[in-house]
Amino acid sequence: MIIRDAEDDDLPGILAIYNQILVASTAIYVYEPVALDERRAWRAARLARGFPVLVAGPPGDVQGFSSFGDWRTSPAYLHTVEHSVHVREDMRGKGLGRALIEALLPRARALGMHRIIGGIDADNAASIALHRSLGFVEVGRFDQVGRKFDRWLDVVFMQREP
């Protein structure tokens, strides 16, 4: 399994995964597909902060991606990041999500992060179980804070030390 830093050429693959997930699930609380320029700006903003954008798969075959960014912008939260991880539909259940999260942890430690947080749709039992197996603990649950597909959505927050 190859986990590597994302390159510009990986952005179309990242975009395809992101847009497929956002139109088909509640894993991303966004309504409309985004354009390549948005993903390009997203990656540039992460890299400008020294944050990683990782992909799973060899060049030309993005099977999943992960990253982390600021949890909140106040300087008091400087040592806390929120991560995201998404795996292409045909590659789920093969350990890519685990590998992508595990690859973020030493990067967060190297940047002096004290906590890494995941905000997960409460109905995403697989992601919650994955995070739990990686040592994340549930620290909060917000009921009916999101709305998508004509229903209210709950978010579970999980955290751990990197």
Side-chain angles (χ1 to χ4, degrees), residues 4-66:
R4 58 186 175 78
D5 288 295
E7 301 290 337
D8 285 337
D9 291 346
D10 295 314
L11 287 170
I14 290 171
L15 177 69
I17 292 168
Y18 185 85
N19 280 338
Q20 188 281 321
I21 289 169
L22 81 82
V23 299
S25 77
T26 56
I28 301 172
Y29 288 16
V30 174
Y31 296 135
E32 299 295 328
V34 299
L36 186 58
D37 285 343
E38 187 279 338
R39 286 287 92 179
R40 192 171 281 119
W42 165 82
R43 178 175 171 265
R46 297 287 168 106
L47 296 179
R49 290 278 292 117
F51 297 155
V53 176
L54 305 177
V55 293
D61 184 22
V62 176
Q63 300 165 356
F65 70 94
S66 66

Side-chain angles (χ1 to χ4, degrees), residues 1 23 38 49 71 101 122 149:
M1 176 176 321
V23 299
E38 187 279 338
R49 290 278 292 117
W71 182 53
I101 294 170
F149 303 135

Side-chain angles (χ1 to χ4, degrees), residues 121-144:
D121 182 77
D123 287 339
N124 193 339
S127 184
I128 292 169
L130 169 62
H131 282 79
R132 199 169 277 130
S133 76
L134 288 167
F136 285 79
V137 295
E138 184 174 328
V139 294
R141 179 186 206 96
F142 297 96
D143 294 331
Q144 299 183 4

Side-chain angles (χ1 to χ4, degrees), residues 14 52 69 77-78 91 93 99-100 125 135:
I14 290 171
Y77 298 107
L78 183 63
M91 297 303 293
L100 283 162

Side-chain angles (χ1 to χ4, degrees), residues 3-5 50-54 68 102-113 162:
I3 306 294
R4 58 186 175 78
D5 288 295
F51 297 155
V53 176
L54 305 177
F68 58 72
E102 288 175 333
L104 290 176
L105 300 176
R107 302 285 190 105
R109 276 193 304 275
L111 291 170
M113 295 302 140

